[in-house]
Amino acid sequence: MHVYVRKRPLLSHELRKHEFDVITAVGKREIVIHECKMYPDMRHKYVVSHHQRFTTCYDEKVNTETIYEDAVKHLLLHAMQGGKSVCMMYGQTGSGKTYTMSGFFQFVADGLFTEIVGDVDFVVSVSAIEIAGSKCYDLIHDRSKVLVCDDGEGNTGLVGATEVEADSTNSLLEVLDNVKNLRSTESTTVNHQSSRSHLVCYINLRRRSSRDTLGELYGQLVLLDLAGSERNEDSFYHDAARRKEAIEINKSHLALKECVRAIGREDNTGFVPYRASVLTRILKSCLWSANSRASVIATISPLSIDTEHTLHTLLCAGQMLEDTPHVSTERVDVKEAGEGEEERMVPIREWDNDRVRNWLCSVRKGKFQKFADNVNSSVDGRMLIRFTHARFTQLCGGDSLAGGHLLKAFRDEVANQDKMLKARRERNAARRK
């Protein structure tokens, strides 16, 4: 199973709120999350940078077509060669899952009728269901109820799900657009149009039959758009129905993770909890079959307020990798604005002769550098503070105008240091309180 990570851009309303980006995509495979934390004294901050590697990581500049070419196209070709493929969208509410999946619909529809793979004559058909809690609804036939049943061999089937044929790109897109419109959405504090259910769209490739009935299943591509996960605080203002939805969504996510963990466990006992949720029962036949391939696209939000959610998304996505994910962290202390500059600042009274000369060379972008040799070796910061206009004029080779400018520059330096020292004292006083 391949896992891809897509970072969405900051949206216009987030920029107006002065939100900031805490995610960096490093190269093609590494994503870095910068998490701001606070020491137990509740006064000093530090940043933990979480480095994690995946199959491919995409920043906000990468378009959906590029992701399709990397993550989904090979799944489509595998299905057209008689295999089973699953493309799964996973992430928090408002991270761009449904937006990305909508783009995939377009490219899959184009590819089905333009790609030439093998010599099997197949017919494209579509069925789509919505999983809301423990109930399933048919999104092809006006949200009629669908029953999830197991046969005597333990295979899961969908009783009551409608399957319709599509003979062109436009007809397939028309069906998929209707499916998206029938899917239930609700406004939440995180996303004004949040998907409150899982969407499972089956694109079946069946051998052409001489009769009116659907032919034998040849290949299958399953497009799975999982409902967005939420934290408890995200649903604080929800009513009872919305809270129940959030609980059911998180329970199904947990069941999916438990199945992945059970399959990947080294000391596998053979038991995989497929029956823990309707979602895992349905995915059993396509995601974990012998001739199946899968891609997981984990979508993440760049916002600092979503850092906890982002780390959880990447943790769960990393557990789906075939290889153990490489995770590393590094910590850097955060200094308050101006604090680092103050620490580097040496009070004028403590300047030695070299610092006096260096300051003189830096004034007015080096305009007084030519007078550095006029500074006597005994002149230090304490002596410089007592210099009058006449002494600065003498330092400038008798040029009274230059001496006046140098005196003003020195007074500005003194005032700037006094201001910074005052700010430091006020900040330290506030910390003691």
Side-chain angles (χ1 to χ4, degrees), residues 364 368 389 392-393 396 399-409:
R364 300 285 179 88
F368 292 88
H389 178 264
F392 278 108
T393 299
C396 295
D399 188 336
S400 178
L401 182 61
H405 288 312
L406 188 59
L407 175 60
K408 183 179 183 303

Side-chain angles (χ1 to χ4, degrees), residues 147-423:
L147 298 179
V148 181
C149 303
D150 295 340
D151 60 19
E153 298 178 356
N155 298 317
T156 302
L158 301 174
V159 179
T162 306
E163 187 172 348
V164 296
E165 290 188 12
D167 56 5
S168 66
T169 298
N170 290 335
S171 63
L172 178 55
L173 285 175
E174 184 179 352
V175 173
L176 295 177
D177 285 340
N178 291 334
V179 166
K180 289 189 295 182
N181 294 333
L182 284 174
R183 189 181 183 187
S184 61
T185 59
E186 292 288 344
S187 177
T188 68
T189 55
V190 180
N191 184 9
H192 73 280
Q193 194 173 4
S194 175
S195 301
R196 310 307 299 156
S197 60
H198 306 302
L199 169 63
V200 186
C201 182
Y202 296 90
I203 298 179
N204 300 316
L205 311 181
R206 296 185 177 274
R207 296 181 185 274
R208 191 175 296 277
S209 174
S210 57
R211 295 173 291 180
D212 293 336
T213 58
L214 292 171
E216 177 190 359
L217 183 65
Y218 171 68
Q220 186 180 65
L221 173 63
V222 179
L223 300 176
L224 172 59
D225 185 10
L226 294 173
S229 59
E230 291 186 351
R231 299 167 296 184
N232 288 335
E233 52 265 39
D234 294 333
S235 57
F236 183 77
Y237 296 103
H238 291 182
D239 57 21
R242 297 286 81 77
R243 288 197 183 99
K244 186 176 180 180
E245 279 180 355
I247 292 172
E248 293 293 340
I249 289 169
N250 290 336
K251 281 174 61 178
S252 61
H253 287 169
L254 177 61
L256 179 60
K257 287 185 288 184
E258 289 299 324
C259 288
V260 172
R261 288 172 182 168
I263 293 173
R265 199 178 295 139
E266 292 183 0
D267 57 342
N268 193 355
T269 59
F271 173 73
V272 180
Y274 293 116
R275 299 185 64 83
S277 75
V278 174
L279 176 64
T280 50
R281 288 175 63 191
I282 290 175
L283 292 179
K284 177 184 176 181
S285 61
C286 53
L287 187 57
W288 293 292
S289 61
N291 189 27
S292 66
R293 293 182 182 177
S295 290
V296 178
I297 293 91
T299 55
I300 54 178
S301 164
L303 301 182
S304 60
I305 58 175
D306 292 330
T307 302
E308 180 184 348
H309 241 322
T310 298
L311 291 172
H312 181 262
T313 297
L314 296 182
L315 174 64
C316 297
Q319 293 170 346
M320 300 181 189
L321 282 169
E322 295 177 355
D323 301 324
T324 303
H326 173 75
V327 182
S328 62
T329 59
E330 58 183 9
R331 188 171 73 179
V332 178
D333 288 339
V334 177
K335 299 182 184 299
E336 295 187 23
E339 187 175 350
E341 186 177 350
E342 292 168 10
E343 290 181 357
R344 294 191 300 269
M345 180 188 67
V346 177
I348 295 176
R349 291 181 178 276
E350 298 178 12
W351 284 5
D352 56 15
N353 185 258
D354 288 337
R355 283 192 178 274
V356 172
R357 291 174 182 269
N358 291 338
W359 171 79
L360 186 63
C361 293
S362 66
V363 174
R364 300 285 179 88
K365 298 181 180 180
K367 289 184 178 181
F368 292 88
Q369 185 175 0
K370 58 185 177 181
F371 302 124
D373 293 337
N374 296 340
V375 179
N376 191 282
S377 59
S378 62
V379 176
D380 57 13
R382 288 179 177 273
M383 186 180 297
L384 193 64
I385 291 174
R386 297 194 296 269
F387 269 25
T388 61
H389 178 264
R391 292 297 303 272
F392 278 108
T393 299
Q394 182 183 2
L395 196 62
C396 295
D399 188 336
S400 178
L401 182 61
H405 288 312
L406 188 59
L407 175 60
K408 183 179 183 303
F410 182 69
R411 287 175 176 172
D412 290 342
E413 180 71 23
V414 172
N416 184 51
Q417 280 206 6
D418 289 343
K419 182 179 179 181
M420 294 176 68
L421 291 173
K422 181 181 178 182

Side-chain angles (χ1 to χ4, degrees), residues 6-18:
R6 184 182 199 183
K7 167 192 169 186
R8 72 161 174 83
L10 286 168
L11 305 179
S12 57
H13 71 275
E14 294 166 347
L15 292 172
R16 288 194 296 269
K17 293 179 180 178
H18 304 290

